Amino acid sequence: MTTMQAAVFVTLLFIALAIPFIVRSIVWSRFINKMKKGDAQKALSILRSKSYKLLFSEYDQKWNILRVYISLGDYKKIAAQVELMFQKPLSERQTYQIASQTYFYFLDAQNKEWSKFLLEKIKDSNHPEEYEYDCMLYRIMIEKESKDIETIEKMLSNKEKDVVKKSDREDHAFHIGLLQYLLALQYGYQGNTSKKESYARKARNNLKNTPYYRKAKQLIAHG
């Protein structure tokens, strides 16, 4: 083989090796663009395409399908997808990823069995602060306990003092509203209607354009 032939061979080899990475990048970019545009059906069609299945792992496909369902807030599809994913062996990283991202949906749906199951998975993942917070959510939303009022009030006070960028204000307001909603729930469990409705009104104002706007509104006697 001449030097020229060897050079051509090496060049062709690099091209052959690069093609899958280039195609993978193109497919991934198409998926991300559809997600940014809120086009869930197109995003799902990309994930289910032959090219995606060929270039990405089975877990990657299922995980990203789950991401689409999460973006839609479709609890039934989220639940079905999570159940499907746990039917096969998962790594510790994969188990934590699924549990951490979907735990709140099962809490919100009052699904005690799956909430407890995912909480145990988070416990096993060695994220103690997250586990402690998720245990508190379980007590409030599943067990209907009111022992965490002081803790939530401290968290709310700290959150309200945060200085945030203009681009982060909507997300910041949501987190404040969620803490106010958790306080409204707990005061409701105690039968303290005045404080329940006071926090629910504040929560409603911060949770506009989210599913929790209606939930907070339902805690107010006259909406």
Side-chain angles (χ1 to χ4, degrees):
M1 181 181 293
T2 65
T3 302
M4 180 62 71
Q5 289 173 326
V8 172
F9 174 78
V10 171
T11 301
L12 291 174
L13 179 62
F14 274 117
I15 292 173
L17 292 173
I19 287 174
F21 292 100
I22 294 170
V23 176
R24 179 186 170 99
S25 178
I26 292 170
V27 172
W28 181 251
S29 295
R30 287 176 57 217
F31 167 69
I32 293 298
N33 287 335
K34 296 303 180 185
M35 287 288 284
K36 286 180 179 178
K37 292 178 181 178
D39 194 339
Q41 293 308 313
K42 289 285 181 65
L44 286 171
S45 68
I46 292 170
L47 296 176
R48 290 167 176 155
S49 67
K50 290 182 180 179
S51 57
Y52 189 94
K53 291 179 181 179
L54 182 66
L55 295 165
F56 295 85
S57 71
E58 181 182 1
Y59 175 79
D60 285 337
Q61 183 200 31
K62 289 180 178 177
W63 166 248
N64 284 306
I65 288 174
L66 178 59
R67 284 180 62 196
V68 175
Y69 294 154
I70 289 173
S71 74
L72 294 171
D74 191 326
Y75 168 72
K76 288 185 178 179
K77 289 184 178 179
I78 291 170
Q81 188 70 5
V82 169
E83 186 172 357
L84 176 67
M85 294 176 80
F86 273 106
Q87 288 176 1
K88 290 197 173 184
L90 298 166
S91 69
E92 288 184 13
R93 180 191 67 81
Q94 291 168 346
T95 299
Y96 169 70
Q97 186 178 50
I98 298 167
S100 180
Q101 292 298 313
T102 63
Y103 175 66
F104 197 83
Y105 289 92
F106 289 94
L107 280 180
D108 191 42
Q110 298 291 293
N111 190 323
K112 184 176 182 178
E113 182 181 356
W114 269 98
S115 295
K116 197 169 186 178
F117 173 79
L118 295 175
L119 187 60
E120 286 300 310
K121 297 301 180 184
I122 294 170
K123 180 182 180 181
D124 294 340
S125 70
N126 196 29
H127 289 76
E129 289 186 4
E130 180 178 354
Y131 175 67
E132 185 177 343
Y133 178 72
D134 287 342
C135 283
M136 182 174 66
L137 293 179
Y138 187 88
R139 288 192 295 271
I140 296 170
M141 300 181 74
I142 299 293
E143 296 180 337
K144 313 297 185 187
E145 294 183 356
S146 58
K147 62 176 66 173
D148 295 293
I149 287 177
E150 185 177 348
T151 300
I152 296 289
E153 285 182 335
K154 286 180 180 178
M155 291 174 66
L156 176 60
S157 177
N158 291 333
K159 179 65 70 174
E160 288 175 332
K161 293 174 185 175
D162 286 347
V163 178
V164 297
K165 298 177 182 177
K166 186 176 181 180
S167 58
D168 296 330
R169 285 177 187 171
E170 188 174 336
D171 187 57
H172 185 249
F174 171 78
H175 284 99
I176 287 176
L178 184 59
L179 291 172
Q180 291 166 335
Y181 172 71
L182 292 172
L183 285 170
L185 286 178
Q186 290 181 89
Y187 279 117
Y189 301 152
Q190 290 185 345
N192 190 332
T193 303
S194 176
K195 284 201 169 185
K196 179 192 77 171
E197 294 197 1
S198 174
Y199 276 113
R201 288 191 182 90
K202 293 175 183 178
R204 180 186 59 182
N205 292 335
N206 283 308
L207 295 171
K208 290 178 180 177
N209 303 317
T210 78
Y212 278 87
Y213 173 83
R214 182 175 296 178
K215 288 178 178 291
K217 189 176 179 180
Q218 288 173 345
L219 296 177
I220 304 169
H222 301 290

